[in-house]
Amino acid sequence: MQETGTAGEFFVGMGNSGKVYRMSKGKTLAGTFTSIRRDFVVGARWGKIAWRAETPPGTSVILQTRSGNVEKSEEGWSEWSPELPDASGSQIPSPPARFLQYRARLTSAAPGATPVLREVTSA
């Protein structure tokens, strides 16, 4: 289903998830992507997290992590870590647990410039 909004916006309804998304042609200066909760089956101790991104001048990508021992509840999960700005690798500060999740914040102070997150690896 697609319905037209104002000023070039449109809405997309998703049947399986029961959600409606508002889309537009314009660019935003900030956005957040939250990964799936990665299951390591047993309690794990974390190494480093690194990422590969295209960051034109005036843009940035910052990651945070959190960990937990249950898949479908917010209970038992740590708070989001402090920002980890080093794309070449930062020690994951989240406590040892079965699940790990990251959140990426992409920002731009330059109209027309957009950062692109290509890959995230963790140990």
Side-chain angles (χ1 to χ4, degrees):
M1 175 183 116
Q2 180 175 328
E3 192 171 309
T4 304
T6 59
E9 293 180 333
F10 63 95
F11 299 89
V12 179
M14 308 302 282
N16 288 341
S17 64
K19 293 182 179 180
V20 175
Y21 295 95
R22 182 179 65 188
M23 311 285 282
S24 68
K25 293 180 183 178
K27 293 182 180 179
T28 184
L29 297 178
T32 302
F33 170 78
T34 304
S35 74
I36 62 170
R37 296 174 182 196
R38 190 69 186 248
D39 186 355
F40 290 85
V41 183
V42 295
R45 293 177 51 111
W46 314 119
K48 291 191 175 189
I49 189 165
W51 61 96
R52 188 171 55 86
E54 296 170 16
T55 51
T59 69
S60 68
V61 175
I62 303 291
L63 261 59
Q64 294 175 287
T65 63
R66 69 179 187 163
S67 58
N69 286 307
V70 291
E71 182 177 12
K72 296 188 179 187
S73 171
E74 295 301 313
E75 288 184 33
W77 277 78
S78 67
E79 295 294 320
W80 286 104
S81 72
E83 294 181 341
L84 307 170
D86 185 3
S88 66
S90 294
Q91 179 65 41
I92 296 172
S94 300
R98 177 178 169 179
F99 295 91
L100 182 68
Q101 185 174 36
Y102 70 86
R103 176 170 67 184
R105 186 167 52 89
L106 292 81
T107 60
S108 177
T114 304
V116 178
L117 180 61
R118 297 282 181 200
E119 179 181 42
V120 176
T121 57
S122 62

